[in-house]
């Protein structure tokens, strides 16, 4: 019974380390980041992904130890249990011992490979983020115990890699970077596997992740604005004159906010605009369009002030951002806005 218990624990241990290894390899980092906002296990999983080299070394060490223990404990126990059975049916002692050894090897290998490795691997690949989060805390504990050993093994491995002329990598690279994906999309379009409309849409989306705000910002001298003491009639007049739906409100040289003309439609023309002013977001000119859109959506604003070197460069709106990701022939224009 003791051997059965030890064998079960070793197989569970092997499965644990296999699941840690493959889940961290397959998990999407942004999903781990989402989980890290709400749970301790999610934060531990994100740290594990950041310590990927040590984590993989720890998983390999754990799998190796479990395998060696199975060979040292379970295989002899199975062989000793089978040998008397074969001897009792009339096999010579040498043949009974040899056959028991082979069967013990087959049984232990089957348990280790199928139950301890292949099944856990398939599960972790099917549910990488969930698995990484479930196992994150115990794996952090294992890493804490074995970090000195793993660090030494990792340095030795990196030394061998450098000697071979390669550069060690501490993280798993993305399956494709933007440039590789662009080449793939261009090739698919050239051979007719991707329609022109979809090709332009995907290329626009890839460019969207690299474009900086300063490339699409409306210059400061071109913005449409009214003074902070303006009335509803002033805002509506500015909209009629410019065609812009959102009119900036200036207090001297400072942008105080923005007024959407739609909010003023039922108001008296002589009414002051204080109650209609919405805040604007301030973003650095080197911010990517992707990040700008995400922040504008999170904070529910449609206009952002773009600054560079502490000086205002201009403004950018959602209408400036959306054409960067939507193909022009599929983008439905609306009235421009500032």
């Amino acid at each position: 019974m003791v051997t059965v218990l030890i064998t079960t624990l070793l197989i569970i241990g092997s499965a644990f380390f296999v699941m840690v290894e493959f889940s961290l390899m397959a998990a999407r980092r942004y999903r781990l980041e989402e989980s890290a906002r709400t749970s301790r296990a999610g934060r531990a999983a994100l740290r594990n992904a950041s310590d990927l080299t040590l984590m993989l070394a720890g998983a390999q060490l754990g799998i190796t130890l479990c395998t060696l223990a199975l060979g040292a404990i379970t295989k002899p126990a199975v062989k000793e249990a089978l040998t008397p059975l074969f001897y009792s049916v009339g096999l010579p002692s040498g043949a009974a011992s040899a056959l028991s050894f082979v069967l013990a090897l087959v049984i232990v290998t089957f348990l280790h490979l199928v139950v301890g490795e292949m099944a856990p691997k398939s599960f972790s690949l099917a549910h990488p983020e969930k698995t990484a989060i479930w196992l994150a805390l115990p794996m952090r504990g294992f890493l804490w115990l074995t970090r000195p050993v793993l660090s030494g093994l990792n340095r030795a491995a990196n030394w061998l890699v450098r000697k071979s002329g390669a550069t060690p990598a501490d993280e798993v690279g993305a399956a494709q970077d933007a440039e590789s994906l662009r080449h793939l999309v261009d090739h698919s379009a050239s051979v007719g596997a991707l329609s022109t409309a979809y090709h332009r849409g995907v290329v626009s989306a890839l460019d969207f992740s690299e474009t900086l705000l300063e490339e699409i910002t409306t210059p400061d001298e071109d913005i449409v604005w009214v003074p902070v003491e303006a009335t509803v009639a002033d805002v509506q007049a500015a909209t009629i004159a410019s065609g812009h739906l959102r009119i900036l409100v200036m207090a001297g040289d400072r942008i105080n906010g923005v007024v959407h003309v739609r909010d003023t439609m039922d108001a008296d023309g002589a009414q002051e605009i204080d109650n209609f002013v919405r805040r604007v977001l301030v973003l650095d000119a080197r911010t990517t369009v992707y990040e700008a859109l995400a922040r504008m959506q999170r904070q529910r604003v449609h206009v952002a002030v773009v600054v560079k070197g502490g000086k205002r460069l201009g403004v950018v709106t959602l209408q400036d951002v959306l054409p960067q990701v939507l193909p022009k022939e599929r983008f439905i224009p609306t009235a421009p806005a500032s």
Side-chain angles (χ1 to χ4, degrees), residues 143-214:
L143 181 64
W144 181 79
L145 290 172
T146 59
R147 183 179 288 271
V149 175
L150 295 177
S151 297
L153 293 175
N154 193 52
R155 284 194 295 271
N158 287 343
W159 180 82
L160 290 175
V161 171
R162 292 189 187 95
K163 287 298 182 181
S164 68
T167 302
D170 291 330
E171 296 183 0
V172 175
Q176 297 283 350
D177 57 19
E179 191 61 31
S180 298
L181 286 173
R182 189 177 286 106
H183 285 306
L184 179 61
V185 170
D186 289 340
H187 174 72
S188 299
S190 67
V191 299
L194 196 64
S195 69
T196 301
Y198 280 108
H199 169 256
R200 291 179 181 173
V202 175
V203 170
S204 296
L206 292 173
D207 292 338
F208 172 65
S209 65
E210 301 174 350
T211 303
L212 301 180
L213 279 186
E214 63 181 348

Side-chain angles (χ1 to χ4, degrees), residues 29 40 43 46 55 59 82 90 128 140 143 172 174 186 190 203 229 250 258-259 284 291 307-308 312:
R29 187 177 181 87
R40 182 185 176 191
R43 290 189 290 274
L46 187 59
M55 281 294 159
L82 293 176
R140 293 303 300 178
L143 181 64
V172 175
D186 289 340
S190 67
V203 170
E229 63 272 11
M250 304 284 289
V258 62
V259 175
D284 187 87
E291 175 62 20
V307 296
K308 185 175 184 180
R312 190 172 69 233

Side-chain angles (χ1 to χ4, degrees), residues 124-147:
S124 60
L125 289 177
H127 310 280
E129 291 81 22
K130 289 183 178 179
T131 305
I133 292 170
W134 288 342
L135 305 180
L137 291 174
M139 192 60 190
R140 293 303 300 178
F142 179 80
L143 181 64
W144 181 79
L145 290 172
T146 59
R147 183 179 288 271

Side-chain angles (χ1 to χ4, degrees), residues 18-28 31 117-134:
V18 168
M19 293 172 74
V20 167
E21 178 180 12
F22 282 93
S23 65
L24 289 177
M25 293 282 286
R28 302 283 185 179
R31 291 181 179 171
E117 288 199 19
M118 296 179 69
K121 178 190 69 175
S122 298
F123 180 87
S124 60
L125 289 177
H127 310 280
E129 291 81 22
K130 289 183 178 179
T131 305
I133 292 170
W134 288 342

